Protein backbone atom coordinates (compact mmCIF):
# COMPACT_ATOMS: atom_id res chain seq x y z
CA UNK A 1 0.00 0.00 0.00
CA UNK A 2 1.47 3.31 -1.07
CA UNK A 3 0.36 6.86 -0.70
CA UNK A 4 1.64 10.23 -1.80
CA UNK A 5 1.46 13.35 0.35
CA UNK A 6 0.18 16.62 -1.08
CA UNK A 7 1.49 19.61 0.86
CA UNK A 8 -0.34 22.89 1.24
CA UNK A 9 2.64 24.97 2.39
CA UNK A 10 6.44 24.75 2.23
CA UNK A 11 7.12 25.91 5.81
CA UNK A 12 4.55 24.06 7.84
CA UNK A 13 5.74 24.93 11.33
CA UNK A 14 5.44 28.70 11.24
CA UNK A 15 2.56 30.03 13.31
CA UNK A 16 2.30 33.06 11.02
CA UNK A 17 1.54 31.16 7.82
CA UNK A 18 -1.59 32.13 5.91
CA UNK A 19 -4.18 29.56 4.95
CA UNK A 20 -3.56 28.09 1.48
CA UNK A 21 -28.62 33.30 3.00
CA UNK A 22 -31.64 34.16 2.69
CA UNK A 23 -32.64 37.57 4.05
CA UNK A 24 -35.81 39.50 4.57
CA UNK A 25 -37.18 41.82 1.91
CA UNK A 26 -38.28 45.41 1.76
CA UNK A 27 -34.95 46.96 2.63
CA UNK A 28 -35.66 46.64 6.34
CA UNK A 29 -32.99 45.48 8.79
CA UNK A 30 -33.76 42.43 10.87
CA UNK A 31 -34.26 43.15 14.58
CA UNK A 32 -30.86 43.58 16.20
CA UNK A 33 -29.53 42.32 19.53
CA UNK A 34 -30.57 44.18 22.66
CA UNK A 35 -27.22 44.29 24.46
CA UNK A 36 -24.60 47.06 24.80
CA UNK A 37 -22.35 48.44 22.09
CA UNK A 38 -19.07 46.56 21.57
CA UNK A 39 -15.60 48.06 21.42
CA UNK A 40 -12.76 47.36 18.98
CA UNK A 41 -11.90 44.08 20.73
CA UNK A 42 -15.32 42.78 19.67
CA UNK A 43 -14.09 42.66 16.07
CA UNK A 44 -11.49 40.01 16.90
CA UNK A 45 -13.74 38.08 19.32
CA UNK A 46 -16.12 36.75 16.65
CA UNK A 47 -16.33 35.22 13.19
CA UNK A 48 -18.61 37.62 11.27
CA UNK A 49 -20.99 36.18 8.66
CA UNK A 50 -22.88 38.44 6.24
CA UNK A 51 -26.65 38.26 6.80
CA UNK A 52 -28.00 41.36 5.03
CA UNK A 53 -26.69 43.96 2.61
CA UNK A 54 -28.20 47.26 1.48
CA UNK A 55 -27.67 49.55 -1.50
CA UNK A 56 -26.75 53.24 -1.04
CA UNK A 57 -30.47 53.97 -1.51
CA UNK A 58 -31.30 51.71 1.44
CA UNK A 59 -32.93 48.82 -0.43
CA UNK A 60 -31.90 45.27 0.31
CA UNK A 61 -29.19 44.00 -2.04
CA UNK A 62 -28.95 40.27 -2.76
CA UNK A 63 -26.00 40.70 -5.16
CA UNK A 64 -23.61 40.09 -2.22
CA UNK A 65 -24.91 36.50 -1.95
CA UNK A 66 -24.37 33.66 -4.43
CA UNK A 67 -27.27 31.31 -3.63
CA UNK A 68 -28.76 29.41 -0.70
CA UNK A 69 -26.31 26.50 -1.16
CA UNK A 70 -23.17 28.63 -0.83
CA UNK A 71 -21.96 29.97 2.50
CA UNK A 72 -22.15 33.78 2.72
CA UNK A 73 -19.15 36.08 3.02
CA UNK A 74 -17.35 35.74 6.36
CA UNK A 75 -15.01 38.30 7.93
CA UNK A 76 -12.37 37.52 10.55
CA UNK A 77 -10.17 40.15 12.21
CA UNK A 78 -6.83 38.58 13.20
CA UNK A 79 -3.57 40.31 14.14
CA UNK A 80 -4.44 43.58 12.40
CA UNK A 81 -5.60 41.82 9.25
CA UNK A 82 -9.16 41.33 8.02
CA UNK A 83 -9.63 37.94 6.36
CA UNK A 84 -12.51 37.37 3.94
CA UNK A 85 -13.65 33.76 3.51
CA UNK A 86 -16.14 31.82 1.36
CA UNK A 87 -15.08 33.38 -1.92
CA UNK A 88 -13.00 31.66 -4.61
CA UNK A 89 -9.88 32.64 -2.66
CA UNK A 90 -9.09 33.72 0.86
CA UNK A 91 -8.63 37.48 0.81
CA UNK A 92 -6.89 39.57 3.47
CA UNK A 93 -6.25 43.26 4.09
CA UNK A 94 -4.48 45.23 6.80
CA UNK A 95 -6.92 47.23 8.91
CA UNK A 96 -6.96 49.88 11.63
CA UNK A 97 -9.66 51.30 13.89
CA UNK A 98 -9.99 54.96 14.87
CA UNK A 99 -13.10 55.32 17.02
CA UNK A 100 -15.97 54.31 14.74
CA UNK A 101 -13.79 54.66 11.67
CA UNK A 102 -12.64 51.37 10.09
CA UNK A 103 -9.80 51.61 7.59
CA UNK A 104 -9.01 48.67 5.30
CA UNK A 105 -6.11 48.62 2.85
CA UNK A 106 -6.17 47.14 -0.64
CA UNK A 107 -6.64 43.37 -0.13
CA UNK A 108 -4.29 40.58 -1.16
CA UNK A 109 -5.57 37.21 -2.26
CA UNK A 110 -4.51 33.65 -2.90
CA UNK A 111 -4.55 32.70 -6.59
CA UNK A 112 -6.60 29.51 -6.71
CA UNK A 113 -8.51 28.91 -9.93
CA UNK A 114 -12.29 29.18 -9.67
CA UNK A 115 -14.82 27.58 -12.03
CA UNK A 116 -17.78 29.46 -10.51
CA UNK A 117 -18.15 32.68 -12.52
CA UNK A 118 -20.72 34.14 -10.15
CA UNK A 119 -18.45 33.56 -7.17
CA UNK A 120 -15.46 35.01 -9.01
CA UNK A 121 -17.45 38.15 -9.88
CA UNK A 122 -18.45 38.47 -6.21
CA UNK A 123 -14.81 38.15 -5.18
CA UNK A 124 -13.83 40.97 -7.54
CA UNK A 125 -16.69 43.10 -6.18
CA UNK A 126 -15.56 42.51 -2.59
CA UNK A 127 -11.96 43.40 -3.50
CA UNK A 128 -13.14 46.72 -4.93
CA UNK A 129 -15.32 47.76 -2.01
CA UNK A 130 -13.13 46.76 0.95
CA UNK A 131 -10.73 49.73 0.67
CA UNK A 132 -13.76 52.05 0.77
CA UNK A 133 -14.85 50.91 4.23
CA UNK A 134 -15.94 53.90 6.29
CA UNK A 135 -17.67 53.13 9.60
CA UNK A 136 -18.35 50.18 11.87
CA UNK A 137 -20.58 49.43 14.83
CA UNK A 138 -21.00 46.32 16.98
CA UNK A 139 -24.14 45.64 19.00
CA UNK A 140 -23.70 42.82 21.51
CA UNK A 141 -26.37 40.39 22.63
CA UNK A 142 -27.96 40.71 26.06
CA UNK A 143 -27.52 36.94 26.55
CA UNK A 144 -25.54 34.06 25.05
CA UNK A 145 -28.56 33.14 22.91
CA UNK A 146 -28.41 36.50 21.09
CA UNK A 147 -25.83 36.80 18.34
CA UNK A 148 -23.94 40.11 18.17
CA UNK A 149 -24.26 42.22 15.05
CA UNK A 150 -21.56 44.08 13.14
CA UNK A 151 -22.67 46.87 10.80
CA UNK A 152 -20.17 48.13 8.22
CA UNK A 153 -20.86 51.17 6.05
CA UNK A 154 -18.87 52.02 2.93
CA UNK A 155 -18.12 55.42 1.43
CA UNK A 156 -20.78 55.09 -1.30
CA UNK A 157 -23.48 54.30 1.30
CA UNK A 158 -23.49 50.51 0.82
CA UNK A 159 -24.12 48.79 4.14
CA UNK A 160 -23.43 45.26 5.40
CA UNK A 161 -24.90 43.63 8.47
CA UNK A 162 -23.05 40.59 9.82
CA UNK A 163 -23.79 38.20 12.68
CA UNK A 164 -21.05 37.04 15.04
CA UNK A 165 -20.08 33.57 16.20
CA UNK A 166 -17.50 33.40 19.03
CA UNK A 167 -13.97 32.47 18.02
CA UNK A 168 -12.41 29.49 19.78
CA UNK A 169 -10.32 31.84 21.93
CA UNK A 170 -13.46 33.69 23.01
CA UNK A 171 -15.31 30.43 23.59
CA UNK A 172 -12.60 28.73 25.65
CA UNK A 173 -10.89 31.78 27.14
CA UNK A 174 -7.13 32.17 26.75
CA UNK A 175 -4.59 31.60 24.01
CA UNK A 176 -4.13 28.12 22.49
CA UNK A 177 -1.12 25.85 22.21
CA UNK A 178 -0.17 25.06 18.61
CA UNK A 179 0.35 21.35 17.87
CA UNK A 180 0.54 19.12 14.79
CA UNK A 181 -1.30 15.82 14.42
CA UNK A 182 -1.13 13.25 11.65
CA UNK A 183 -4.53 11.57 11.28
CA UNK A 184 -4.48 8.04 9.85
CA UNK A 185 -6.75 6.95 7.00
CA UNK A 186 -9.17 4.82 9.03
CA UNK A 187 -11.00 5.11 12.33
CA UNK A 188 -10.84 2.13 14.70
CA UNK A 189 -13.21 0.87 17.35
CA UNK A 190 -12.02 1.92 20.79
CA UNK A 191 -13.23 1.76 24.37
CA UNK A 192 -14.43 5.09 25.78
CA UNK A 193 -15.49 4.75 29.41
CA UNK A 194 -18.70 2.75 29.61
CA UNK A 195 -19.13 2.51 25.85
CA UNK A 196 -17.32 2.05 22.56
CA UNK A 197 -16.77 4.47 19.73
CA UNK A 198 -14.90 4.89 16.45
CA UNK A 199 -11.66 6.74 17.22
CA UNK A 200 -9.40 8.66 14.89
CA UNK A 201 -5.88 7.24 14.75
CA UNK A 202 -3.37 10.03 15.35
CA UNK A 203 0.26 10.65 16.13
CA UNK A 204 1.91 13.87 17.19
CA UNK A 205 4.46 15.56 14.94
CA UNK A 206 6.89 18.32 15.81
CA UNK A 207 8.77 20.66 13.49
CA UNK A 208 11.63 23.11 13.73
CA UNK A 209 11.05 26.71 12.67
CA UNK A 210 12.58 25.79 9.30
CA UNK A 211 9.82 23.24 8.68
CA UNK A 212 12.07 20.21 9.27
CA UNK A 213 10.33 17.42 11.16
CA UNK A 214 12.04 16.75 14.50
CA UNK A 215 9.70 14.25 16.15
CA UNK A 216 7.16 11.60 15.21
CA UNK A 217 5.06 10.10 17.99
CA UNK A 218 3.36 6.71 18.25
CA UNK A 219 -0.02 6.27 16.60
CA UNK A 220 -2.80 6.05 19.17
CA UNK A 221 -6.55 6.33 19.66
CA UNK A 222 -7.87 9.89 19.73
CA UNK A 223 -10.92 9.98 21.98
CA UNK A 224 -11.92 13.59 21.26
CA UNK A 225 -13.07 15.26 18.06
CA UNK A 226 -11.40 18.14 16.23
CA UNK A 227 -13.61 21.17 15.66
CA UNK A 228 -13.70 22.13 11.99
CA UNK A 229 -12.28 18.81 10.76
CA UNK A 230 -14.32 16.24 8.82
CA UNK A 231 -12.51 12.97 8.34
CA UNK A 232 -12.81 11.12 5.02
CA UNK A 233 -12.08 7.39 5.23
CA UNK A 234 -9.00 6.41 3.24
CA UNK A 235 -7.40 9.84 3.57
CA UNK A 236 -4.54 10.76 5.89
CA UNK A 237 -4.08 14.39 6.86
CA UNK A 238 -1.47 16.39 8.74
CA UNK A 239 -3.31 19.03 10.73
CA UNK A 240 -2.18 22.21 12.39
CA UNK A 241 -4.24 22.33 15.57
CA UNK A 242 -5.00 24.95 18.19
CA UNK A 243 -5.37 23.15 21.53
CA UNK A 244 -7.27 24.99 24.25
CA UNK A 245 -7.35 24.19 27.96
CA UNK A 246 -11.01 23.77 28.91
CA UNK A 247 -12.53 25.16 32.10
CA UNK A 248 -14.89 23.30 34.45
CA UNK A 249 -14.44 19.98 32.67
CA UNK A 250 -16.76 17.06 33.57
CA UNK A 251 -15.00 14.01 35.00
CA UNK A 252 -15.47 11.91 31.85
CA UNK A 253 -14.54 14.64 29.32
CA UNK A 254 -11.25 15.72 27.80
CA UNK A 255 -9.33 18.53 29.48
CA UNK A 256 -8.63 20.03 26.06
CA UNK A 257 -10.58 21.30 23.08
CA UNK A 258 -8.98 20.75 19.68
CA UNK A 259 -9.71 23.26 16.90
CA UNK A 260 -8.47 22.85 13.32
CA UNK A 261 -6.30 25.73 12.15
CA UNK A 262 -5.48 24.25 8.74
CA UNK A 263 -4.75 21.05 6.80
CA UNK A 264 -1.11 21.22 5.70
CA UNK A 265 -0.67 17.81 4.07
CA UNK A 266 -2.95 15.16 2.55
CA UNK A 267 -2.35 11.59 1.44
CA UNK A 268 -4.90 9.26 -0.14
CA UNK A 269 -4.60 5.51 0.33
CA UNK A 270 -4.01 3.48 -2.82
CA UNK A 271 -4.66 -0.14 -1.81
CA UNK A 272 -3.91 -1.42 -5.30
CA UNK A 273 -0.21 -0.58 -5.08
Amino acid sequence: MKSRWTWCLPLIASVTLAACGTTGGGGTSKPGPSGPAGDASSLTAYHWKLRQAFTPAGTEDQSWFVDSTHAPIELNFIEQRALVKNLCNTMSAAYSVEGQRLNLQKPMSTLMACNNNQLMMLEQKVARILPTTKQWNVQLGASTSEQPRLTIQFIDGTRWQLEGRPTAQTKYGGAPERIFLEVGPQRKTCSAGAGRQECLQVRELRYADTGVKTYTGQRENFYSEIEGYKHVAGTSNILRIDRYKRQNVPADASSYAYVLDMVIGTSIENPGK
Side-chain angles (χ1 to χ4, degrees), residues 72-93:
I73 293 167
E74 181 179 306
L75 285 180
N76 295 281
F77 295 87
I78 304 171
E79 297 178 350
Q80 298 304 307
R81 296 200 69 84
L83 273 64
V84 188
K85 300 175 64 176
N86 298 332
L87 298 169
C88 288
N89 293 276
T90 298
M91 190 181 298
S92 71

Side-chain angles (χ1 to χ4, degrees), residues 182 201-205 215-221:
E182 180 184 319
Q201 303 299 297
V202 308
R203 57 184 175 186
E204 183 182 1
L205 305 177
Y215 172 80
T216 300
Q218 296 295 315
R219 198 174 296 280
E220 58 187 7
N221 293 328

